[in-house]
Amino acid sequence: MDQSDAHSGLGPRRLAWNAVTEALKRRVPLDDMLDEFAPQERLSGRDEALARAIAIVTMRRLGTIGWALRERLDKGARDERLLNLLAIGAAQILFLDVPDHAAVDTAVQLAQDDRRLKHAGGLINAVLRRVARERDAILASAEPWLDTPNWLEERWTAQYGEELATEIARAHQALPSVDLTVKEDAQGWAERLGGILLPTGSIRLTERTPIRDLPGYEEGAWWVQDAAAALPARLLGAKPGERVADLCAAPGGKTAQLAAAGAEVLAVDRSAKRLKRLEENLARLRLQAETRAVDAEKLDEPPFDAILLDAPCSATGTIRRHPDVAWTKGEEDVKKLAGLQSRLLDKAAGLLKPGGRLVYCTCSLEAEEGERQAEAFLARHPDFVRSPVTPEEVGGLAECLTPAGDVRTLPCHLTVAGHDRSGLDGFFMARFVRRGS
């Protein structure tokens, strides 16, 4: 990147354009693509934040943007890089506080700098200017299901019913909340941070402030963790001195909760890179846990008092936070990962003492990765029984409990009055106890 790019605003837009294009093409996480292309641009922190904001809102509202562009484009326009460049331009015009002329001019310039798209400057200028003129009409006509792929719409409508499924789709269009888990004195920290103390015990921030600038960050008083993601460790109820395994542990929020409870924790993850990040987080928090980079299916250890298994999944419950999931995953991923979850559950069962507790969770909205896994596990393991969760254990949120006593949080749950950043990540959680003592 040369200095003129920095002053013109091309760098952030080029980063967003490349990251969105490659994430969709390779069907890989948007964050990975942003990290891959960021070094090429050498952006300031502010410009990199702009690039991320553009890329994320493009993915979050990709269906609406695609619909708006199709209505204003010749049907023969099929070049993916052109369509994605138009998409990031439209995202800025429709959903970000960016001057229209900046969004249009930078898109035209990026096209002119691209050998394949030099001819498209006039088209880009005309389409994006029309989007800007017709912004109000576009936003008024945008339906909640536009931003959800058909395969997910069909699944959620079948599983949750049309009304609730539509609420989920609408929740995914909004900015996600930023929640914190604290070691102690949640009420005091909520007041210091100007946040809301949620009934589940997490703190929800009400202002957008760089995390590292907040009180308590340097001294390790808290960590960022969605309120739903904080529930599984609480349901495990780790006690001081208990030997606890956190399987598939990275990035480590749940490990931190277990360590803060005084347990002797073994954090297991197959990715050494992700474990390194977990170790860095624990160091900031001044918490201790043993870590091991190994595939959990191959873990060989004496039996544990309690095990937390946050299994790899399709992550459809995190779409409001990672909107690319909706467009980079498919039904084949759900089926493939469901098999892995079954194997991990069986492995965890064999690592647990008689009388021990197992909490299984996934950040998925799909029944194959949640309710059906729980039932199949109990059918395979008659030496285990379900330990039903009570409303009191989840902050009184009875709507998050299934008839069987498992937990099913949805993006449209936990609406906070007067606060536009409501909701929860979509999670499934089940608690089991091994018979015996």
Side-chain angles (χ1 to χ4, degrees), residues 61-373:
R61 303 307 301 267
L62 191 62
T64 295
I65 292 167
W67 163 77
L69 292 175
R70 284 192 299 275
E71 294 289 309
R72 291 155 182 84
L73 267 175
D74 180 80
K75 288 182 170 53
R78 293 182 180 175
D79 185 289
E80 290 300 323
R81 278 187 63 77
L82 171 60
L83 293 174
N84 290 329
L85 179 54
L86 284 166
I88 69 157
Q92 295 168 71
I93 292 167
L94 295 172
F95 303 112
L96 290 178
D97 187 19
V98 171
D100 293 347
H101 68 84
V104 177
D105 294 349
T106 51
V108 171
Q109 184 61 56
L110 286 170
Q112 291 174 345
D113 292 344
D114 187 290
R115 181 175 53 83
R116 285 171 47 192
L117 300 181
K118 281 182 179 293
H119 66 283
L123 171 69
I124 291 168
N125 182 70
V127 171
L128 291 183
R129 286 187 182 280
R130 186 176 169 194
V131 168
R133 287 196 307 272
E134 300 172 7
R135 174 173 38 227
D136 292 346
I138 292 170
L139 295 178
S141 302
E143 298 293 332
W145 281 116
L146 274 175
D147 295 308
T148 302
N150 290 339
W151 73 278
L152 285 173
E153 179 181 357
E154 291 170 5
R155 293 176 67 89
W156 295 344
T157 301
Q159 184 171 341
Y160 299 108
E162 188 171 349
E163 183 178 348
L164 192 53
T166 303
E167 288 184 37
I168 293 171
R170 187 174 286 112
H172 286 158
Q173 293 179 320
L175 276 173
S177 57
V178 176
D179 300 334
L180 308 178
T181 300
V182 297
K183 289 182 186 173
E184 56 188 8
D185 189 20
Q187 182 62 58
W189 276 108
E191 293 170 3
R192 285 188 64 185
L193 295 164
I196 300 167
L197 180 58
L198 300 176
T200 59
S202 293
I203 295 170
R204 177 153 294 174
L205 300 182
T206 56
E207 299 294 333
R208 290 278 163 175
T209 304
I211 293 298
R212 292 173 182 269
D213 295 344
L214 291 171
Y217 178 83
E218 290 297 335
E219 56 264 48
W222 48 259
W223 56 96
V224 176
Q225 186 178 33
D226 186 82
L231 290 175
R234 291 183 179 142
L235 297 180
L236 192 67
K239 301 176 182 66
E242 280 192 320
R243 190 162 169 271
V244 178
D246 184 6
L247 304 183
C248 313
K254 299 175 183 70
T255 300
Q257 288 177 278
L258 300 172
E264 297 176 9
V265 186
L266 173 62
V268 175
D269 200 278
R270 66 186 300 175
S271 168
K273 182 179 177 181
R274 282 165 58 83
L275 265 187
K276 187 172 186 298
R277 181 180 165 200
L278 180 151
E279 290 164 354
E280 291 168 353
N281 289 338
L282 289 179
R284 178 181 69 83
L285 297 170
R286 296 162 177 77
L287 294 171
Q288 290 189 325
E290 182 185 351
T291 60
R292 191 158 323 156
V294 63
D295 186 332
E297 287 189 76
K298 299 175 181 175
L299 183 65
D300 183 16
E301 280 287 315
F304 293 89
D305 297 300
I307 295 175
L308 176 57
L309 170 59
D310 185 356
C313 69
S314 63
T316 54
T318 69
I319 287 173
R320 67 192 192 115
R321 204 171 296 284
H322 301 290
D324 49 296
V325 167
W327 307 101
T328 58
K329 296 284 178 70
E331 285 195 281
E332 65 277 11
D333 296 296
V334 176
K335 294 172 184 174
K336 176 183 174 183
L337 289 161
L340 173 60
Q341 293 148 18
S342 296
R343 298 195 303 274
L344 287 169
L345 272 166
D346 291 345
K347 178 65 178 183
L351 289 170
L352 199 63
K353 290 180 179 178
R357 309 176 307 284
L358 167 62
V359 167
Y360 164 76
C361 66
T362 57
C363 55
S364 168
L365 294 173
E366 316 314 310
E368 299 96 314
E369 301 182 287
E371 292 86 347
R372 293 181 201 167
Q373 282 288 357

